[in-house]
Amino acid sequence: MNIPETFFSVNEELVLFGMSCIMGAVFGVLYDVFRIIRIVFAHNGFLTAIEDILFLGLYGVSLIAFASAAARGELRFYHVLGNFIGFALYFLTLGSIVNSAFRRLFSALKKTISFIMVPFKICFAFLCRKTRAKFVGSSKVAVNCFKKIRFLLLKLPHMLYNKMETKKKERGKGGKKIKTQNERSV
């Protein structure tokens, strides 16, 4: 009769601990990918939170997959501890070097692109100055038109579409007729 093993030997547990440390370092690399995305594209707090939730979700799924595949479905505390140690070692050593290198690279790339864009900015500013007078003048005409319409709507409150609502507003709460501003001035 062949009985399957129901426990791990110390050697197997050390191998699983080493594998979990490597898995933590892999997640350090994945976290660096998220940090690089944050360097390249400006983020607000909401997008950063979504990225962090996505990262933690991927970590949880991979931890369960690791326990299922390598540890016969047994999730132990030293798996999580190994992940944390591997992540911390990568993050504090190679991760900081990678992060600073990408920061310098994108800073240099940004300066280069802004230097290349200087003639285009000058040309765009020149075109804006030439066309601004025509558009500002025409927009002032449109704004004045809208102001007149708004003034007319405020002056004539009895021109509402729903006549019943107009009558209720004119009568007030007590049922007595309230004089409108137009009737008071006459």
Side-chain angles (χ1 to χ4, degrees), residues 8 16 19-20 23 59-76 79 83:
F8 289 110
L16 285 174
M19 289 172 54
S20 65
M23 184 179 144
Y59 172 71
V61 168
S62 67
L63 185 63
I64 291 171
F66 172 77
S68 297
R72 292 182 283 210
E74 296 177 10
L75 181 62
R76 300 292 176 121
H79 297 157
N83 289 159

Side-chain angles (χ1 to χ4, degrees), residues 1 16 18 34 37 56 58 76 107 129 136 167 177:
M1 181 151 84
L16 285 174
F34 281 112
I37 290 171
L56 288 174
L58 287 172
R76 300 292 176 121
S107 174
R129 272 183 275 154
V136 169
K167 288 180 181 178
K177 187 171 181 178

Side-chain angles (χ1 to χ4, degrees), residues 160-171:
L160 292 174
Y161 292 97
N162 191 344
K163 292 182 181 180
M164 293 299 286
E165 287 295 320
T166 306
K167 288 180 181 178
K168 286 180 186 176
K169 286 182 182 179
E170 287 177 354
R171 297 232 182 254

Side-chain angles (χ1 to χ4, degrees), residues 4 30 77 90-91 147:
L30 180 65
F77 176 72
Y90 173 81
F91 191 78
K147 283 183 180 178

Side-chain angles (χ1 to χ4, degrees), residues 146-159:
F146 285 124
K147 283 183 180 178
K148 287 179 183 176
I149 291 171
R150 191 173 127 211
F151 180 73
L152 288 174
L153 287 175
L154 291 176
K155 270 301 211 185
L156 304 172
H158 63 277
M159 291 184 61

Side-chain angles (χ1 to χ4, degrees), residues 42-53:
H43 279 67
N44 59 11
F46 179 73
L47 290 176
T48 303
I50 288 180
E51 286 178 355
D52 289 342
I53 290 169

